Amino acid sequence: MAETEDALRTLARNVRTARSRAGLSLDEFGRRAKVSKGALVALERAQGNPNFATLVRLADTLGVSVSALMEAPAEGRVRVVSADTVMPLWAGEKGGEARLMLTTSGPAPVEVWRWKLEPGEEYPSHPHQTGVVETVSVTTGQMVLIADGTEHLVEAGQTATFDGDIPHTYRGAGTDTCHLIMTVHIPPAPAQGPPA
């Protein structure tokens, strides 16, 4: 339970900081992210528990990665992350899951995700901000990537890439569990000029 409370405090601090840096009021932030002001107030007080889709909308609105909202400051120059130490941010009805392993630092961060999809299990994603590029590399099994309404079979040993600003869905295919690594390439945040 203490780990969950620590994670909520980190999320609250990071959302507040990113919102302030972006110069957004709670009202404007909520309007852009399509999240109620009450939910944002609770979140910034470490009392909220947003779902994965809400975290993605918040990150997209702020122009940062999901993990930038969730991670404590990095310690040292090398980070090694074990999948069993990272809580899933999405859990499917058939046992699938998605774990955000880490996000690289710098002006154009990259999120690294580990996914597991059971046959027939789907995760629909809303379009991301313009400039986001996703890749999926299937390590075992097969999946169907539905991008802008078109289905693409991606099998073990194959990698697909697409612009993330279109509707897209991941679906487990075949008869075996699909394991994949997904990367989300986030464009650099626009430079902010001096205050007016």
Side-chain angles (χ1 to χ4, degrees):
M1 193 67 165
E3 289 178 5
T4 301
E5 291 172 3
D6 288 345
L8 285 174
R9 281 193 293 276
T10 298
L11 177 62
R13 181 183 58 249
N14 292 344
V15 168
R16 234 183 354 264
T17 300
R19 180 178 64 79
S20 295
R21 191 177 308 125
L24 295 173
S25 68
L26 280 169
D27 288 324
E28 181 62 14
F29 184 35
R31 186 187 66 73
R32 290 184 187 184
K34 297 181 176 84
V35 176
S36 74
K37 182 178 178 180
L40 291 175
V41 168
L43 176 64
E44 289 193 2
R45 291 182 179 162
Q47 297 168 343
N49 189 11
N51 63 28
F52 178 54
T54 300
L55 287 174
V56 170
R57 285 197 313 274
L58 295 175
D60 282 350
T61 300
L62 294 167
V64 299
S65 67
V66 172
S67 65
L69 296 180
M70 300 182 61
E71 289 181 344
E75 297 177 19
R77 297 180 71 150
V78 175
R79 285 186 293 162
V80 177
V81 181
S82 297
D84 59 351
T85 64
V86 178
M87 295 295 295
L89 289 179
W90 171 79
E93 293 180 2
K94 297 181 179 182
E97 62 184 27
R99 296 173 189 257
L100 177 57
M101 299 303 297
L102 60 87
T103 300
T104 62
S105 58
V110 177
E111 296 177 351
V112 179
W113 293 79
R114 293 178 68 106
W115 281 78
K116 178 175 80 168
L117 292 168
E118 297 300 331
E121 192 167 44
E122 284 191 353
Y123 175 77
S125 178
H126 76 286
H128 301 293
Q129 67 187 14
T130 301
V132 169
V133 175
E134 291 192 20
T135 65
V136 290
S137 297
V138 176
T139 57
T140 60
Q142 53 186 220
M143 67 170 287
V144 173
L145 166 65
I146 306 167
D148 211 16
T150 303
E151 294 189 4
H152 306 271
L153 181 65
V154 186
E155 300 179 296
Q158 294 182 323
T159 299
T161 187
F162 62 97
D163 293 332
D165 61 354
I166 57 174
H168 52 283
T169 299
Y170 303 122
R171 180 190 313 138
T175 58
D176 297 321
T177 301
C178 176
H179 292 271
L180 62 108
I181 303 295
M182 177 183 76
T183 59
V184 180
H185 303 259
I186 300 164
Q192 294 183 355

